[in-house]
Amino acid sequence: MCVDVLKLLPQLNAVEVGSVEEFEDAVVISARSRAEPAACTGCGRISDWEHSRYVRHVADEAVGGRPVRIELSVRRLYCENPACPKATFAEQIDGLTVRYQRRTPGLQAIIVAVATVLAGRPDHGCCCTCTTS
């Protein structure tokens, strides 16, 4: 049975999916951004002048009990506004990447919800493992 990955993970509609690999401990998706203009994170001016590409490793919501890791090739673009303090900027993919984050917005929302529910409850160590001797 072959399932279309875009039906399971609609946040990937904004990128070109290259491959999906299943491992015992994770699902790894290789994808790349489409060559569409992007807004500069410094001044907001639209640019499609590509400087280079690099791979971001983004954690996503689990599928079938296994974590999902997206190996996402994104572009670094030149800002074409001479008054902008940024010479280059990295494009962001709506619904998939956020500046300086290594998690998708969906996974981040789950983590925030769990942390909010467990906040202040001393019997639940959500961020550390305590051992007793």
Side-chain angles (χ1 to χ4, degrees):
M1 172 177 22
C2 182
V3 178
D4 184 7
V5 71
L6 298 179
K7 288 182 181 175
L8 289 176
L9 302 168
Q11 64 271 35
L12 295 175
N13 282 325
V15 297
E16 296 173 7
V17 176
S19 66
V20 178
E21 296 179 85
E22 223 178 315
F23 297 100
E24 285 184 28
D25 60 338
V27 175
V28 179
I29 300 169
S30 295
R32 67 184 282 130
S33 63
R34 294 193 170 103
E36 297 175 356
C40 173
T41 55
C43 67
R45 184 168 179 175
I46 302 297
S47 175
D48 62 356
W49 184 14
E50 189 171 320
H51 174 276
S52 59
R53 277 190 174 268
Y54 69 99
V55 176
R56 288 184 68 173
H57 309 280
V58 184
D60 199 4
E61 302 165 61
V63 171
R66 285 186 261 170
V68 173
R69 187 175 70 242
I70 302 169
E71 306 292 325
L72 181 61
S73 173
V74 294
R75 298 174 299 160
R76 180 160 280 288
L77 301 164
Y78 288 104
C79 180
E80 299 180 50
N81 179 0
C84 181
K86 291 184 173 260
T88 64
F89 64 95
E91 70 180 331
Q92 301 301 317
I93 311 298
D94 287 338
L96 202 56
T97 62
V98 178
R99 287 176 66 192
Y100 308 115
Q101 290 289 316
R102 293 184 182 174
R103 299 181 189 112
T104 61
L107 179 58
Q108 184 65 29
I110 291 170
I111 291 170
V112 168
V114 169
T116 301
V117 168
L118 296 179
R121 295 179 64 186
D123 57 334
H124 288 87
C126 70
C127 295
C128 66
T129 304
C130 300
T131 59
T132 56
S133 303

